[in-house]
Amino acid sequence: MSKLLVIGCGGVAQVAIQKCAQNSKIFTEMCLASRTVSKCDALKDKLEKQGTPVKITTATVNADDVKDVVRVIKEYQPDAVLNVALPYQDLAIMDACLECKVDYIDTANYEPEDTDEPVWRAAYEKRCKEKGFTAYFDYSYQWAYMDKFKEAGITGLLGTGFDPGVTSVFVAYAKKHYFDEIESVDILDCNGGDHGYAFATNFNPEINLREVSANGSYWENGKWVETRPMEIKREYDFPQVGQKDMYLLHHEEIEALGRNFPEIKRIRFFMTFGQSYLDHMRCLEDVGMLSTTPIKFEGKDIVPIQFLKALLPDPASLGPRTVGKTNIGCIFRGKKDGKEKTLYIYNVCDHQECYKELGSQAISYTTGVPAMIGTALVLSGQWKKPGVFTTDEFDPDPYMEMLNEFGLPWVVDENPVLVD
Ligand code: NDP
């Protein structure tokens, strides 16, 4: 029996909300709140027509404004807030949860919308020098809430999507059941889906293009090693998808895993991209369309990447036209009982199956299902402890069981092909 406030109603949120409705033993009441409330109303109607037993209400919220989030929390009195808006809103929503003493859950690391803001920029440049990676996001801002959340007696569960989220749970599960010591982890994110467009992004274009056009980096012997964008390329033959090119990227779970599993000597993250995607991205970057700095156009300030977002297909609309499968997982090397051991844990998800079930494509599906699972485990008390944590810091077993139960079954291969 619990009341959940969900903030955001985009591609990921729509899956998370529909999955919460499938788990009505835990989620008895939900308030769907977002900037564009009509999307919340449409989803409420859809679920009610399907006869959901969950009592649903909707609200308008500006999640950039702590006071407005506090207003909605005070009006609704939820047991937890699931933030599936954008990473830009993480801190405002965490502040509101703190003020109201309500548990907080999200799927992505805080990053600022305006990367030219002077105070943030100064701290960022200092961090780049000290830590040696230049991504716009890092955990320091959210980990700084540890003591405040502990004092308030509330839980903050950070990054319960697929990657980060499930990939970090796979690491905790491998450590618990298969290894005495893990030496290396390669996280492989393959999207073998085809939506038929020359160029489109599978989740929020602004967040996606920022991530992919940035420098890559990996964790080795307790330090970051940074690379140029797309500098390290490998090919891999993914089970149920086939041979794909993949490129090393910086990714947020590496930072948490590097801190929480100091025994792991190397952690890398690879994502597959087709040539058309890379060609378009390079061209857009070269002409300045990926910039987040406002420019004057006919007397108005416009942010190039936001204008580009308006031109690109809405990721939530890709569902009906995307065919093929995703394969996301982790390859481990380490030791068990003194012997060398390798292991691959992965999930394969079919875009069209997701569309048939919930009307969405597999990227939103593979993020929205774990968002529901993490929230359910906090609300049921299984993953509730005061403070701020990533998904690798809890018992992985109930999460792994729920992945099987709620549409993301996983495979364990004890003889995988390794990435060189
Ligand atoms: P979308 O852009 O589709 O949806 C974002 C939603 O947030 C929209 O409903 C939007 O409202 C709402 N929103 C944006 N700003 C505000 C605001 N200030 N106040 C209230 N609501 C707001 O994004 P996605 O669904 O693709 O992504 C959601 C989150 O999931 C992101 O944080 C993304 O980084 C994360 N993600 C995580 C992954 C993982 O594996 N961990 C993978 C993929 C995504 P409106 O409808 O008005 O635009």
Side-chain angles (χ1 to χ4, degrees), residues 243-276:
Q243 189 88 11
K244 293 277 172 198
D245 292 340
M246 60 183 191
Y247 298 84
L248 185 138
L249 296 187
H250 175 84
H251 223 247
E252 66 195 65
E253 63 266 57
I254 303 178
E255 191 186 3
L257 293 170
R259 182 189 79 159
N260 297 336
F261 295 81
E263 72 193 50
I264 306 179
K265 294 191 185 67
R266 190 181 68 190
I267 312 170
R268 301 184 296 185
F269 180 96
F270 291 92
M271 191 178 271
T272 62
F273 296 103
Q275 201 52 48
S276 173

PDB file of all heavy atoms in Angstrom, residues 243-276:
ATOM      1  N   GLN A 243      26.720  -8.962 -35.287  1.00  0.00           N
ATOM      2  CA  GLN A 243      27.972  -8.203 -35.256  1.00  0.00           C
ATOM      3  C   GLN A 243      27.688  -6.691 -35.314  1.00  0.00           C
ATOM      4  O   GLN A 243      26.940  -6.241 -36.184  1.00  0.00           O
ATOM      5  CB  GLN A 243      28.776  -8.622 -36.488  1.00  0.00           C
ATOM      6  CG  GLN A 243      30.175  -8.114 -36.543  1.00  0.00           C
ATOM      7  CD  GLN A 243      31.132  -9.069 -35.831  1.00  0.00           C
ATOM      8  OE1 GLN A 243      30.764 -10.197 -35.487  1.00  0.00           O
ATOM      9  NE2 GLN A 243      32.346  -8.611 -35.612  1.00  0.00           N
ATOM     10  N   LYS A 244      28.270  -5.931 -34.396  1.00  0.00           N
ATOM     11  CA  LYS A 244      28.080  -4.465 -34.388  1.00  0.00           C
ATOM     12  C   LYS A 244      29.395  -3.772 -34.045  1.00  0.00           C
ATOM     13  O   LYS A 244      30.213  -4.314 -33.301  1.00  0.00           O
ATOM     14  CB  LYS A 244      27.067  -4.059 -33.298  1.00  0.00           C
ATOM     15  CG  LYS A 244      25.655  -4.529 -33.543  1.00  0.00           C
ATOM     16  CD  LYS A 244      24.930  -3.595 -34.471  1.00  0.00           C
ATOM     17  CE  LYS A 244      23.590  -4.185 -34.868  1.00  0.00           C
ATOM     18  NZ  LYS A 244      23.018  -3.577 -36.046  1.00  0.00           N
ATOM     19  N   ASP A 245      29.552  -2.529 -34.544  1.00  0.00           N
ATOM     20  CA  ASP A 245      30.660  -1.673 -34.105  1.00  0.00           C
ATOM     21  C   ASP A 245      30.246  -1.016 -32.795  1.00  0.00           C
ATOM     22  O   ASP A 245      29.108  -0.546 -32.674  1.00  0.00           O
ATOM     23  CB  ASP A 245      30.895  -0.525 -35.100  1.00  0.00           C
ATOM     24  CG  ASP A 245      31.416  -1.035 -36.422  1.00  0.00           C
ATOM     25  OD1 ASP A 245      31.940  -2.174 -36.464  1.00  0.00           O
ATOM     26  OD2 ASP A 245      31.290  -0.290 -37.423  1.00  0.00           O
ATOM     27  N   MET A 246      31.174  -0.965 -31.850  1.00  0.00           N
ATOM     28  CA  MET A 246      30.850  -0.259 -30.600  1.00  0.00           C
ATOM     29  C   MET A 246      32.022   0.638 -30.214  1.00  0.00           C
ATOM     30  O   MET A 246      33.168   0.388 -30.582  1.00  0.00           O
ATOM     31  CB  MET A 246      30.511  -1.253 -29.482  1.00  0.00           C
ATOM     32  CG  MET A 246      31.609  -2.215 -29.146  1.00  0.00           C
ATOM     33  SD  MET A 246      31.049  -3.387 -27.888  1.00  0.00           S
ATOM     34  CE  MET A 246      32.621  -4.140 -27.465  1.00  0.00           C
ATOM     35  N   TYR A 247      31.703   1.694 -29.472  1.00  0.00           N
ATOM     36  CA  TYR A 247      32.689   2.746 -29.164  1.00  0.00           C
ATOM     37  C   TYR A 247      32.713   2.980 -27.658  1.00  0.00           C
ATOM     38  O   TYR A 247      31.664   2.934 -27.006  1.00  0.00           O
ATOM     39  CB  TYR A 247      32.292   4.043 -29.868  1.00  0.00           C
ATOM     40  CG  TYR A 247      32.273   3.900 -31.366  1.00  0.00           C
ATOM     41  CD1 TYR A 247      31.150   3.377 -32.018  1.00  0.00           C
ATOM     42  CD2 TYR A 247      33.388   4.241 -32.132  1.00  0.00           C
ATOM     43  CE1 TYR A 247      31.134   3.217 -33.402  1.00  0.00           C
ATOM     44  CE2 TYR A 247      33.374   4.089 -33.510  1.00  0.00           C
ATOM     45  CZ  TYR A 247      32.248   3.576 -34.144  1.00  0.00           C
ATOM     46  OH  TYR A 247      32.235   3.413 -35.501  1.00  0.00           O
ATOM     47  N   LEU A 248      33.913   3.271 -27.171  1.00  0.00           N
ATOM     48  CA  LEU A 248      34.060   3.505 -25.732  1.00  0.00           C
ATOM     49  C   LEU A 248      33.536   4.904 -25.369  1.00  0.00           C
ATOM     50  O   LEU A 248      33.919   5.898 -25.995  1.00  0.00           O
ATOM     51  CB  LEU A 248      35.537   3.375 -25.343  1.00  0.00           C
ATOM     52  CG  LEU A 248      35.826   3.477 -23.849  1.00  0.00           C
ATOM     53  CD1 LEU A 248      36.849   2.420 -23.445  1.00  0.00           C
ATOM     54  CD2 LEU A 248      36.325   4.861 -23.473  1.00  0.00           C
ATOM     55  N   LEU A 249      32.658   4.972 -24.380  1.00  0.00           N
ATOM     56  CA  LEU A 249      32.096   6.244 -23.891  1.00  0.00           C
ATOM     57  C   LEU A 249      32.375   6.375 -22.396  1.00  0.00           C
ATOM     58  O   LEU A 249      32.531   5.374 -21.699  1.00  0.00           O
ATOM     59  CB  LEU A 249      30.566   6.254 -24.023  1.00  0.00           C
ATOM     60  CG  LEU A 249      29.877   6.189 -25.360  1.00  0.00           C
ATOM     61  CD1 LEU A 249      28.378   6.391 -25.142  1.00  0.00           C
ATOM     62  CD2 LEU A 249      30.403   7.246 -26.304  1.00  0.00           C
ATOM     63  N   HIS A 250      32.351   7.612 -21.914  1.00  0.00           N
ATOM     64  CA  HIS A 250      32.280   7.813 -20.463  1.00  0.00           C
ATOM     65  C   HIS A 250      30.852   7.460 -20.058  1.00  0.00           C
ATOM     66  O   HIS A 250      29.912   7.770 -20.785  1.00  0.00           O
ATOM     67  CB  HIS A 250      32.563   9.281 -20.112  1.00  0.00           C
ATOM     68  CG  HIS A 250      32.386   9.560 -18.662  1.00  0.00           C
ATOM     69  ND1 HIS A 250      33.373   9.319 -17.745  1.00  0.00           N
ATOM     70  CD2 HIS A 250      31.330  10.018 -17.964  1.00  0.00           C
ATOM     71  CE1 HIS A 250      32.939   9.625 -16.539  1.00  0.00           C
ATOM     72  NE2 HIS A 250      31.695  10.064 -16.644  1.00  0.00           N
ATOM     73  N   HIS A 251      30.671   6.834 -18.909  1.00  0.00           N
ATOM     74  CA  HIS A 251      29.296   6.551 -18.474  1.00  0.00           C
ATOM     75  C   HIS A 251      29.215   6.592 -16.969  1.00  0.00           C
ATOM     76  O   HIS A 251      30.164   6.218 -16.280  1.00  0.00           O
ATOM     77  CB  HIS A 251      28.824   5.193 -19.022  1.00  0.00           C
ATOM     78  CG  HIS A 251      27.425   5.249 -19.538  1.00  0.00           C
ATOM     79  ND1 HIS A 251      26.388   4.587 -18.947  1.00  0.00           N
ATOM     80  CD2 HIS A 251      26.896   5.930 -20.574  1.00  0.00           C
ATOM     81  CE1 HIS A 251      25.274   4.843 -19.620  1.00  0.00           C
ATOM     82  NE2 HIS A 251      25.552   5.668 -20.609  1.00  0.00           N
ATOM     83  N   GLU A 252      28.054   7.023 -16.442  1.00  0.00           N
ATOM     84  CA  GLU A 252      28.049   7.399 -15.032  1.00  0.00           C
ATOM     85  C   GLU A 252      28.251   6.251 -14.052  1.00  0.00           C
ATOM     86  O   GLU A 252      28.803   6.446 -12.976  1.00  0.00           O
ATOM     87  CB  GLU A 252      26.787   8.201 -14.698  1.00  0.00           C
ATOM     88  CG  GLU A 252      25.494   7.451 -14.794  1.00  0.00           C
ATOM     89  CD  GLU A 252      24.315   8.409 -14.812  1.00  0.00           C
ATOM     90  OE1 GLU A 252      24.187   9.190 -15.768  1.00  0.00           O
ATOM     91  OE2 GLU A 252      23.507   8.378 -13.875  1.00  0.00           O
ATOM     92  N   GLU A 253      27.813   5.008 -14.428  1.00  0.00           N
ATOM     93  CA  GLU A 253      27.967   3.929 -13.443  1.00  0.00           C
ATOM     94  C   GLU A 253      29.427   3.600 -13.171  1.00  0.00           C
ATOM     95  O   GLU A 253      29.769   3.048 -12.119  1.00  0.00           O
ATOM     96  CB  GLU A 253      27.198   2.660 -13.838  1.00  0.00           C
ATOM     97  CG  GLU A 253      27.623   1.956 -15.105  1.00  0.00           C
ATOM     98  CD  GLU A 253      26.796   2.426 -16.299  1.00  0.00           C
ATOM     99  OE1 GLU A 253      26.791   3.652 -16.561  1.00  0.00           O
ATOM    100  OE2 GLU A 253      26.197   1.582 -16.988  1.00  0.00           O
ATOM    101  N   ILE A 254      30.331   3.969 -14.102  1.00  0.00           N
ATOM    102  CA  ILE A 254      31.752   3.671 -13.883  1.00  0.00           C
ATOM    103  C   ILE A 254      32.232   4.378 -12.611  1.00  0.00           C
ATOM    104  O   ILE A 254      32.993   3.813 -11.817  1.00  0.00           O
ATOM    105  CB  ILE A 254      32.621   4.119 -15.093  1.00  0.00           C
ATOM    106  CG1 ILE A 254      32.128   3.467 -16.379  1.00  0.00           C
ATOM    107  CG2 ILE A 254      34.086   3.792 -14.846  1.00  0.00           C
ATOM    108  CD1 ILE A 254      32.906   3.914 -17.623  1.00  0.00           C
ATOM    109  N   GLU A 255      31.764   5.625 -12.416  1.00  0.00           N
ATOM    110  CA  GLU A 255      32.228   6.394 -11.263  1.00  0.00           C
ATOM    111  C   GLU A 255      31.802   5.723  -9.945  1.00  0.00           C
ATOM    112  O   GLU A 255      32.616   5.569  -9.024  1.00  0.00           O
ATOM    113  CB  GLU A 255      31.661   7.824 -11.338  1.00  0.00           C
ATOM    114  CG  GLU A 255      32.305   8.743 -10.331  1.00  0.00           C
ATOM    115  CD  GLU A 255      31.655  10.126 -10.278  1.00  0.00           C
ATOM    116  OE1 GLU A 255      30.660  10.388 -10.983  1.00  0.00           O
ATOM    117  OE2 GLU A 255      32.166  10.944  -9.491  1.00  0.00           O
ATOM    118  N   ALA A 256      30.539   5.293  -9.889  1.00  0.00           N
ATOM    119  CA  ALA A 256      30.046   4.661  -8.654  1.00  0.00           C
ATOM    120  C   ALA A 256      30.702   3.294  -8.445  1.00  0.00           C
ATOM    121  O   ALA A 256      31.105   2.955  -7.325  1.00  0.00           O
ATOM    122  CB  ALA A 256      28.531   4.524  -8.726  1.00  0.00           C
ATOM    123  N   LEU A 257      30.844   2.527  -9.512  1.00  0.00           N
ATOM    124  CA  LEU A 257      31.449   1.187  -9.368  1.00  0.00           C
ATOM    125  C   LEU A 257      32.915   1.304  -8.960  1.00  0.00           C
ATOM    126  O   LEU A 257      33.406   0.534  -8.138  1.00  0.00           O
ATOM    127  CB  LEU A 257      31.317   0.397 -10.678  1.00  0.00           C
ATOM    128  CG  LEU A 257      29.876   0.007 -11.063  1.00  0.00           C
ATOM    129  CD1 LEU A 257      29.833  -0.555 -12.486  1.00  0.00           C
ATOM    130  CD2 LEU A 257      29.302  -1.012 -10.075  1.00  0.00           C
ATOM    131  N   GLY A 258      33.623   2.288  -9.538  1.00  0.00           N
ATOM    132  CA  GLY A 258      35.033   2.502  -9.190  1.00  0.00           C
ATOM    133  C   GLY A 258      35.185   2.821  -7.708  1.00  0.00           C
ATOM    134  O   GLY A 258      36.126   2.374  -7.055  1.00  0.00           O
ATOM    135  N   ARG A 259      34.224   3.584  -7.170  1.00  0.00           N
ATOM    136  CA  ARG A 259      34.278   3.925  -5.744  1.00  0.00           C
ATOM    137  C   ARG A 259      33.874   2.740  -4.864  1.00  0.00           C
ATOM    138  O   ARG A 259      34.513   2.443  -3.856  1.00  0.00           O
ATOM    139  CB  ARG A 259      33.337   5.100  -5.465  1.00  0.00           C
ATOM    140  CG  ARG A 259      33.382   5.549  -4.021  1.00  0.00           C
ATOM    141  CD  ARG A 259      32.305   6.563  -3.682  1.00  0.00           C
ATOM    142  NE  ARG A 259      31.012   5.942  -3.476  1.00  0.00           N
ATOM    143  CZ  ARG A 259      30.021   6.503  -2.793  1.00  0.00           C
ATOM    144  NH1 ARG A 259      30.163   7.711  -2.282  1.00  0.00           N
ATOM    145  NH2 ARG A 259      28.855   5.888  -2.629  1.00  0.00           N
ATOM    146  N   ASN A 260      32.791   2.039  -5.274  1.00  0.00           N
ATOM    147  CA  ASN A 260      32.216   1.026  -4.387  1.00  0.00           C
ATOM    148  C   ASN A 260      32.881  -0.345  -4.500  1.00  0.00           C
ATOM    149  O   ASN A 260      32.704  -1.195  -3.642  1.00  0.00           O
ATOM    150  CB  ASN A 260      30.710   0.894  -4.651  1.00  0.00           C
ATOM    151  CG  ASN A 260      29.985   2.202  -4.341  1.00  0.00           C
ATOM    152  OD1 ASN A 260      30.473   3.011  -3.556  1.00  0.00           O
ATOM    153  ND2 ASN A 260      28.841   2.427  -4.971  1.00  0.00           N
ATOM    154  N   PHE A 261      33.610  -0.592  -5.609  1.00  0.00           N
ATOM    155  CA  PHE A 261      34.313  -1.876  -5.795  1.00  0.00           C
ATOM    156  C   PHE A 261      35.783  -1.574  -6.115  1.00  0.00           C
ATOM    157  O   PHE A 261      36.229  -1.757  -7.258  1.00  0.00           O
ATOM    158  CB  PHE A 261      33.698  -2.684  -6.947  1.00  0.00           C
ATOM    159  CG  PHE A 261      32.285  -3.140  -6.702  1.00  0.00           C
ATOM    160  CD1 PHE A 261      31.223  -2.279  -6.891  1.00  0.00           C
ATOM    161  CD2 PHE A 261      32.023  -4.443  -6.283  1.00  0.00           C
ATOM    162  CE1 PHE A 261      29.911  -2.687  -6.667  1.00  0.00           C
ATOM    163  CE2 PHE A 261      30.722  -4.861  -6.052  1.00  0.00           C
ATOM    164  CZ  PHE A 261      29.666  -3.984  -6.248  1.00  0.00           C
ATOM    165  N   PRO A 262      36.556  -1.119  -5.115  1.00  0.00           N
ATOM    166  CA  PRO A 262      37.938  -0.695  -5.404  1.00  0.00           C
ATOM    167  C   PRO A 262      38.822  -1.826  -5.930  1.00  0.00           C
ATOM    168  O   PRO A 262      39.858  -1.570  -6.540  1.00  0.00           O
ATOM    169  CB  PRO A 262      38.444  -0.184  -4.044  1.00  0.00           C
ATOM    170  CG  PRO A 262      37.427  -0.528  -3.038  1.00  0.00           C
ATOM    171  CD  PRO A 262      36.164  -0.889  -3.715  1.00  0.00           C
ATOM    172  N   GLU A 263      38.404  -3.093  -5.740  1.00  0.00           N
ATOM    173  CA  GLU A 263      39.191  -4.229  -6.250  1.00  0.00           C
ATOM    174  C   GLU A 263      39.186  -4.293  -7.790  1.00  0.00           C
ATOM    175  O   GLU A 263      40.081  -4.903  -8.385  1.00  0.00           O
ATOM    176  CB  GLU A 263      38.596  -5.539  -5.730  1.00  0.00           C
ATOM    177  CG  GLU A 263      37.252  -5.864  -6.414  1.00  0.00           C
ATOM    178  CD  GLU A 263      36.435  -6.949  -5.760  1.00  0.00           C
ATOM    179  OE1 GLU A 263      36.233  -6.865  -4.549  1.00  0.00           O
ATOM    180  OE2 GLU A 263      35.992  -7.870  -6.466  1.00  0.00           O
ATOM    181  N   ILE A 264      38.177  -3.685  -8.434  1.00  0.00           N
ATOM    182  CA  ILE A 264      38.071  -3.822  -9.904  1.00  0.00           C
ATOM    183  C   ILE A 264      39.119  -2.924 -10.561  1.00  0.00           C
ATOM    184  O   ILE A 264      39.102  -1.709 -10.381  1.00  0.00           O
ATOM    185  CB  ILE A 264      36.652  -3.470 -10.406  1.00  0.00           C
ATOM    186  CG1 ILE A 264      35.593  -4.290  -9.661  1.00  0.00           C
ATOM    187  CG2 ILE A 264      36.556  -3.737 -11.912  1.00  0.00           C
ATOM    188  CD1 ILE A 264      34.156  -3.995 -10.067  1.00  0.00           C
ATOM    189  N   LYS A 265      39.999  -3.562 -11.339  1.00  0.00           N
ATOM    190  CA  LYS A 265      41.134  -2.799 -11.883  1.00  0.00           C
ATOM    191  C   LYS A 265      40.741  -1.980 -13.111  1.00  0.00           C
ATOM    192  O   LYS A 265      41.281  -0.920 -13.357  1.00  0.00           O
ATOM    193  CB  LYS A 265      42.264  -3.759 -12.250  1.00  0.00           C
ATOM    194  CG  LYS A 265      42.855  -4.453 -11.024  1.00  0.00           C
ATOM    195  CD  LYS A 265      44.130  -5.195 -11.370  1.00  0.00           C
ATOM    196  CE  LYS A 265      44.639  -5.979 -10.172  1.00  0.00           C
ATOM    197  NZ  LYS A 265      43.752  -7.113  -9.786  1.00  0.00           N
ATOM    198  N   ARG A 266      39.806  -2.535 -13.913  1.00  0.00           N
ATOM    199  CA  ARG A 266      39.432  -1.771 -15.117  1.00  0.00           C
ATOM    200  C   ARG A 266      37.926  -1.864 -15.358  1.00  0.00           C
ATOM    201  O   ARG A 266      37.365  -2.961 -15.317  1.00  0.00           O
ATOM    202  CB  ARG A 266      40.169  -2.318 -16.352  1.00  0.00           C
ATOM    203  CG  ARG A 266      39.989  -1.404 -17.558  1.00  0.00           C
ATOM    204  CD  ARG A 266      40.686  -1.957 -18.782  1.00  0.00           C
ATOM    205  NE  ARG A 266      40.021  -3.170 -19.239  1.00  0.00           N
ATOM    206  CZ  ARG A 266      40.509  -3.987 -20.167  1.00  0.00           C
ATOM    207  NH1 ARG A 266      41.674  -3.735 -20.731  1.00  0.00           N
ATOM    208  NH2 ARG A 266      39.839  -5.067 -20.527  1.00  0.00           N
ATOM    209  N   ILE A 267      37.307  -0.704 -15.604  1.00  0.00           N
ATOM    210  CA  ILE A 267      35.869  -0.670 -15.942  1.00  0.00           C
ATOM    211  C   ILE A 267      35.701   0.164 -17.208  1.00  0.00           C
ATOM    212  O   ILE A 267      36.123   1.326 -17.258  1.00  0.00           O
ATOM    213  CB  ILE A 267      35.015  -0.036 -14.810  1.00  0.00           C
ATOM    214  CG1 ILE A 267      35.363  -0.638 -13.445  1.00  0.00           C
ATOM    215  CG2 ILE A 267      33.537  -0.214 -15.117  1.00  0.00           C
ATOM    216  CD1 ILE A 267      34.748   0.109 -12.256  1.00  0.00           C
ATOM    217  N   ARG A 268      35.118  -0.462 -18.234  1.00  0.00           N
ATOM    218  CA  ARG A 268      34.909   0.271 -19.499  1.00  0.00           C
ATOM    219  C   ARG A 268      33.433   0.183 -19.889  1.00  0.00           C
ATOM    220  O   ARG A 268      32.734  -0.743 -19.474  1.00  0.00           O
ATOM    221  CB  ARG A 268      35.764  -0.341 -20.630  1.00  0.00           C
ATOM    222  CG  ARG A 268      37.241  -0.332 -20.350  1.00  0.00           C
ATOM    223  CD  ARG A 268      38.041  -0.854 -21.542  1.00  0.00           C
ATOM    224  NE  ARG A 268      37.747  -2.256 -21.848  1.00  0.00           N
ATOM    225  CZ  ARG A 268      38.378  -2.972 -22.775  1.00  0.00           C
ATOM    226  NH1 ARG A 268      39.350  -2.423 -23.489  1.00  0.00           N
ATOM    227  NH2 ARG A 268      38.044  -4.235 -22.993  1.00  0.00           N
ATOM    228  N   PHE A 269      33.000   1.134 -20.720  1.00  0.00           N
ATOM    229  CA  PHE A 269      31.614   1.147 -21.205  1.00  0.00           C
ATOM    230  C   PHE A 269      31.650   1.326 -22.724  1.00  0.00           C
ATOM    231  O   PHE A 269      32.298   2.248 -23.221  1.00  0.00           O
ATOM    232  CB  PHE A 269      30.848   2.313 -20.564  1.00  0.00           C
ATOM    233  CG  PHE A 269      29.417   2.399 -20.999  1.00  0.00           C
ATOM    234  CD1 PHE A 269      28.406   1.839 -20.235  1.00  0.00           C
ATOM    235  CD2 PHE A 269      29.072   3.018 -22.205  1.00  0.00           C
ATOM    236  CE1 PHE A 269      27.089   1.903 -20.642  1.00  0.00           C
ATOM    237  CE2 PHE A 269      27.754   3.085 -22.618  1.00  0.00           C
ATOM    238  CZ  PHE A 269      26.759   2.533 -21.837  1.00  0.00           C
ATOM    239  N   PHE A 270      30.979   0.458 -23.436  1.00  0.00           N
ATOM    240  CA  PHE A 270      30.907   0.567 -24.904  1.00  0.00           C
ATOM    241  C   PHE A 270      29.449   0.657 -25.351  1.00  0.00           C
ATOM    242  O   PHE A 270      28.589  -0.037 -24.814  1.00  0.00           O
ATOM    243  CB  PHE A 270      31.505  -0.687 -25.564  1.00  0.00           C
ATOM    244  CG  PHE A 270      32.993  -0.824 -25.406  1.00  0.00           C
ATOM    245  CD1 PHE A 270      33.532  -1.529 -24.341  1.00  0.00           C
ATOM    246  CD2 PHE A 270      33.852  -0.257 -26.334  1.00  0.00           C
ATOM    247  CE1 PHE A 270      34.898  -1.664 -24.191  1.00  0.00           C
ATOM    248  CE2 PHE A 270      35.228  -0.391 -26.196  1.00  0.00           C
ATOM    249  CZ  PHE A 270      35.762  -1.094 -25.122  1.00  0.00           C
ATOM    250  N   MET A 271      29.207   1.488 -26.366  1.00  0.00           N
ATOM    251  CA  MET A 271      27.855   1.583 -26.936  1.00  0.00           C
ATOM    252  C   MET A 271      27.944   1.422 -28.459  1.00  0.00           C
ATOM    253  O   MET A 271      28.901   1.923 -29.063  1.00  0.00           O
ATOM    254  CB  MET A 271      27.235   2.932 -26.586  1.00  0.00           C
ATOM    255  CG  MET A 271      25.755   3.027 -26.897  1.00  0.00           C
ATOM    256  SD  MET A 271      25.080   4.629 -26.394  1.00  0.00           S
ATOM    257  CE  MET A 271      24.589   4.311 -24.723  1.00  0.00           C
ATOM    258  N   THR A 272      26.973   0.742 -29.042  1.00  0.00           N
ATOM    259  CA  THR A 272      27.001   0.555 -30.502  1.00  0.00           C
ATOM    260  C   THR A 272      26.388   1.782 -31.195  1.00  0.00           C
ATOM    261  O   THR A 272      25.423   2.373 -30.698  1.00  0.00           O
ATOM    262  CB  THR A 272      26.204  -0.697 -30.944  1.00  0.00           C
ATOM    263  OG1 THR A 272      24.829  -0.530 -30.577  1.00  0.00           O
ATOM    264  CG2 THR A 272      26.755  -1.969 -30.318  1.00  0.00           C
ATOM    265  N   PHE A 273      26.964   2.140 -32.337  1.00  0.00           N
ATOM    266  CA  PHE A 273      26.398   3.196 -33.192  1.00  0.00           C
ATOM    267  C   PHE A 273      26.575   2.787 -34.638  1.00  0.00           C
ATOM    268  O   PHE A 273      27.619   2.239 -35.002  1.00  0.00           O
ATOM    269  CB  PHE A 273      27.135   4.531 -32.994  1.00  0.00           C
ATOM    270  CG  PHE A 273      26.998   5.083 -31.623  1.00  0.00           C
ATOM    271  CD1 PHE A 273      28.036   4.980 -30.727  1.00  0.00           C
ATOM    272  CD2 PHE A 273      25.821   5.695 -31.220  1.00  0.00           C
ATOM    273  CE1 PHE A 273      27.911   5.473 -29.446  1.00  0.00           C
ATOM    274  CE2 PHE A 273      25.690   6.190 -29.936  1.00  0.00           C
ATOM    275  CZ  PHE A 273      26.736   6.076 -29.050  1.00  0.00           C
ATOM    276  N   GLY A 274      25.582   3.109 -35.462  1.00  0.00           N
ATOM    277  CA  GLY A 274      25.707   2.891 -36.897  1.00  0.00           C
ATOM    278  C   GLY A 274      26.430   4.087 -37.517  1.00  0.00           C
ATOM    279  O   GLY A 274      26.493   5.168 -36.931  1.00  0.00           O
ATOM    280  N   GLN A 275      26.942   3.875 -38.736  1.00  0.00           N
ATOM    281  CA  GLN A 275      27.699   4.935 -39.404  1.00  0.00           C
ATOM    282  C   GLN A 275      26.818   6.169 -39.683  1.00  0.00           C
ATOM    283  O   GLN A 275      27.270   7.295 -39.548  1.00  0.00           O
ATOM    284  CB  GLN A 275      28.323   4.390 -40.703  1.00  0.00           C
ATOM    285  CG  GLN A 275      29.498   5.211 -41.205  1.00  0.00           C
ATOM    286  CD  GLN A 275      30.567   5.460 -40.129  1.00  0.00           C
ATOM    287  OE1 GLN A 275      30.989   4.542 -39.426  1.00  0.00           O
ATOM    288  NE2 GLN A 275      30.982   6.713 -39.969  1.00  0.00           N
ATOM    289  N   SER A 276      25.557   5.957 -40.024  1.00  0.00           N
ATOM    290  CA  SER A 276      24.680   7.091 -40.350  1.00  0.00           C
ATOM    291  C   SER A 276      24.522   8.004 -39.120  1.00  0.00           C
ATOM    292  O   SER A 276      24.599   9.238 -39.230  1.00  0.00           O
ATOM    293  CB  SER A 276      23.318   6.574 -40.814  1.00  0.00           C
ATOM    294  OG  SER A 276      22.428   7.634 -40.979  1.00  0.00           O
TER     295      SER A 276
END
